[in-house]
Amino acid sequence: EVQLVESGGGLVQPGRSLRLSCAASGFTFDDYAMHWVRQAPGKGLEWVSGISWNSGSIGYADSVKGRFTISRDNAKNSLYLQMNSLRAEDTALYYCAKDQTVAGTPTGAFDIWGQGTMVTVSS
Amino acid sequence: QSALTQPASVSGSPGQSITISCTGTSSDVGGYNYVSWYQQHPGKAPKLMIYEVSNRPSGVSNRFSGSKSGNTASLTISGLQAEDEADYYCSSYTSSSTLYWVFGGGTKLTVL
């Protein structure tokens, strides 16, 4: 079964750090680009960051650039998001999502999603 | 990067057809054929319904179709069914960076 399972969320104070993980199974992880997408409570979806299959291309939304770092370990079938200098507006459900395109240029068609991990930034 | 513009809500009766628009710019929707549509039911993860403007993933009903004209993409749902009631989001690649995507604000579909 193709599956993504996020972990690492929780309650954190403003200015602190948190590292999210996403464990992939059921597909050849190192063939696909991966992304993080978040959804604040009661709000819409926001693309946060993406990484190509070989980590050669990485992108960030302006709202997190300079504070968040995406990475992957293909040997461990895992995706990560290091979140530093957290702000109240980073409070959201963070989804890990698989890009549909095999290798090559990601197309941003997110065909597999995890169930998300909740991050709450509050003092 | 600004979000793509979608109507906040649309509604239709069972059996009818509805269309949800997604308006961007020449730097995103109008410039690339990397427009996707997602369906999200309450408390659930989003589901890919359309990719690359008009392609349906395996398992998605052919009642769902996508198109694009200029800077506006559209999702059409024909033969509305009660289970289609959900939030729908469009997304597009944008030329802001090597890897960069933007979502629309979402549209709540109500089946009357």
Side-chain angles (χ1 to χ4, degrees):
Chain A
E1 178 190 7
V2 177
Q3 196 173 13
L4 297 171
V5 178
E6 302 94 336
S7 61
L11 174 62
V12 61
Q13 293 179 328
R16 302 299 290 266
S17 299
L18 209 57
R19 188 194 195 207
L20 305 184
S21 299
C22 171
S25 60
F27 65 98
T28 306
F29 181 71
D30 54 12
D31 274 351
Y32 297 93
M34 297 293 296
H35 304 265
W36 289 99
V37 177
R38 68 184 181 184
Q39 186 168 34
K43 302 297 185 182
L45 301 173
E46 180 188 16
W47 179 83
V48 173
S49 182
I51 185 169
S52 63
W53 64 279
N54 63 354
S55 304
S57 294
I58 287 175
Y60 300 96
D62 288 344
S63 57
V64 307
K65 196 173 295 182
R67 300 187 298 123
F68 289 12
T69 302
I70 191 172
S71 63
R72 64 189 295 161
D73 185 337
N74 287 343
K76 295 183 178 180
N77 290 344
S78 294
L79 175 72
Y80 306 100
L81 186 67
Q82 177 67 43
M83 305 186 295
N84 299 331
S85 304
L86 283 162
R87 306 167 179 167
E89 53 265 36
D90 295 320
T91 294
L93 184 64
Y94 284 73
Y95 291 105
C96 166
K98 168 186 165 291
D99 197 290
Q100 178 175 256
T101 307
V102 176
T105 303
T107 60
F110 312 134
D111 63 342
I112 303 296
W113 297 66
Q115 286 305 303
T117 186
M118 187 67 200
V119 173
T120 303
V121 183
S122 175
S123 55
Chain B
Q1 182 64 34
S2 301
L4 306 176
T5 301
Q6 297 180 233
S9 63
V10 298
S11 63
S13 299
Q16 288 186 331
S17 295
I18 63 95
T19 296
I20 300 172
S21 62
C22 171
T23 301
T25 69
S26 58
S27 295
D28 38 64
V29 174
Y32 305 92
N33 287 325
Y34 293 145
V35 176
S36 301
W37 289 91
Y38 300 87
Q39 176 192 66
Q40 187 179 35
H41 287 110
K44 301 294 186 182
K47 176 185 177 183
L48 178 66
M49 305 302 285
I50 296 288
Y51 66 96
E52 293 176 24
V53 177
S54 60
N55 296 299
R56 270 188 317 275
S58 174
V60 172
S61 170
N62 59 9
R63 297 186 298 106
F64 291 82
S65 62
S67 62
K68 187 182 81 167
S69 177
N71 296 335
T72 298
S74 299
L75 173 70
T76 297
I77 308 174
S78 59
L80 270 179
Q81 298 179 2
E83 59 262 36
D84 298 333
E85 184 163 297
D87 293 324
Y88 291 85
Y89 295 90
C90 63
S91 75
S92 174
Y93 175 79
T94 174
S95 55
S96 292
S97 181
T98 303
L99 279 185
Y100 209 104
W101 277 268
V102 62
F103 279 95
T107 298
K108 169 66 177 176
L109 168 62
T110 300
V111 180
L112 302 170

